[in-house]
């Protein structure tokens, strides 16, 4: 079994609605996101999935958040609080559905979102 990881990043503002403290106020983070893929089947080049392909797919998802106020865009504008937990799950679902991953031996196993170098959340399917 192989585990392959790629990292991406975006800068965005948010507020954690109803948070009992300063995080309820508008503020920003340099969000860092790691996607971990697992699988056993390598292609003819000996790759689970090309790092370039994986990074491009992750970047395409993250681009929708870069330099936005997250609370303004769906689903955060529709009542989902833009916490690291919700971001990790939503980015996971969107990345797992990308067509670049189809036909590769790589299955998205985990998606980690760092709000800061000391605070992160990892989402997995189970
Ligand atoms: N489980 C979660 N807890 C918190 C989240 C979250 O998404 N999930 N988010 C926040 C706020 O977004 C806040 O901006 C981050 O909090 P924190 O890491 O405490 O940030 P600080 O810069 O204030 O860290 P210090 O180490 O206290 O300086 C809060 N909690
Ligand atoms: Zn925050």
């Amino acid at each position: 079994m192989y585990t392959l990881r790629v990292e991406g990043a975006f800068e965005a503002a948010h507020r954690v609605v109803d948070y009992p403290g300063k995080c309820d106020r508008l503020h920003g983070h340099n969000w860092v996101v790691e996607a971990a893929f697992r699988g056993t089947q390598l292609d003819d080049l000996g790759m689970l999935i090309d790092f370039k392909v994986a990074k491009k797919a992750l970047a395409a998802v993250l681009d929708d958040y870069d330099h936005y106020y997250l609370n303004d865009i769906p689903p955060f504008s529709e009542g989902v609080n833009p916490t690291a937990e919700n971001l990790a799950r939503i980015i996971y679902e969107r990345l797992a559905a990308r067509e670049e991953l189809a036909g590769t031996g790589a299955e998205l196993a985990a998606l980690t979102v760092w709000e800061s170098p000391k605070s992160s959340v990892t989402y997995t399917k189970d």
Side-chain angles (χ1 to χ4, degrees), residues 69-117:
Y69 174 41
L70 297 177
N71 300 64
D72 268 355
I73 56 176
F76 310 114
S77 58
E78 297 158 355
V80 177
N81 232 356
T83 60
E85 287 89 336
N86 281 328
L87 270 163
R89 186 189 70 259
I90 289 161
I91 293 169
Y92 178 104
E93 300 291 356
R94 296 189 57 211
L95 181 58
R98 297 283 304 186
E99 63 181 24
E100 295 96 315
L101 307 187
T104 74
E107 181 190 359
L108 184 57
L111 196 295
T112 301
V113 169
W114 280 269
E115 274 202 353
S116 75

Side-chain angles (χ1 to χ4, degrees), residues 7-85:
E7 195 174 289
F10 64 98
E11 295 168 16
H14 76 161
R15 60 176 285 252
V16 181
V17 178
D18 292 337
Y19 186 88
K22 65 180 181 180
C23 301
D24 187 36
R25 298 200 296 265
L26 172 62
H27 63 280
H29 296 285
N30 295 323
W31 306 80
V32 175
V33 179
E34 181 195 271
F37 299 91
R38 281 166 64 83
T40 55
Q41 283 301 118
L42 304 187
D43 65 17
D44 293 345
L45 295 172
M47 298 176 181
L48 185 66
I49 181 173
D50 189 333
F51 286 134
K52 285 183 188 297
V53 171
K55 280 187 279 189
K56 200 171 166 192
L58 178 59
V61 172
L62 301 186
D63 194 49
D64 287 342
Y65 307 118
D66 194 35
H67 286 72
Y68 277 98
Y69 174 41
L70 297 177
N71 300 64
D72 268 355
I73 56 176
F76 310 114
S77 58
E78 297 158 355
V80 177
N81 232 356
T83 60
E85 287 89 336

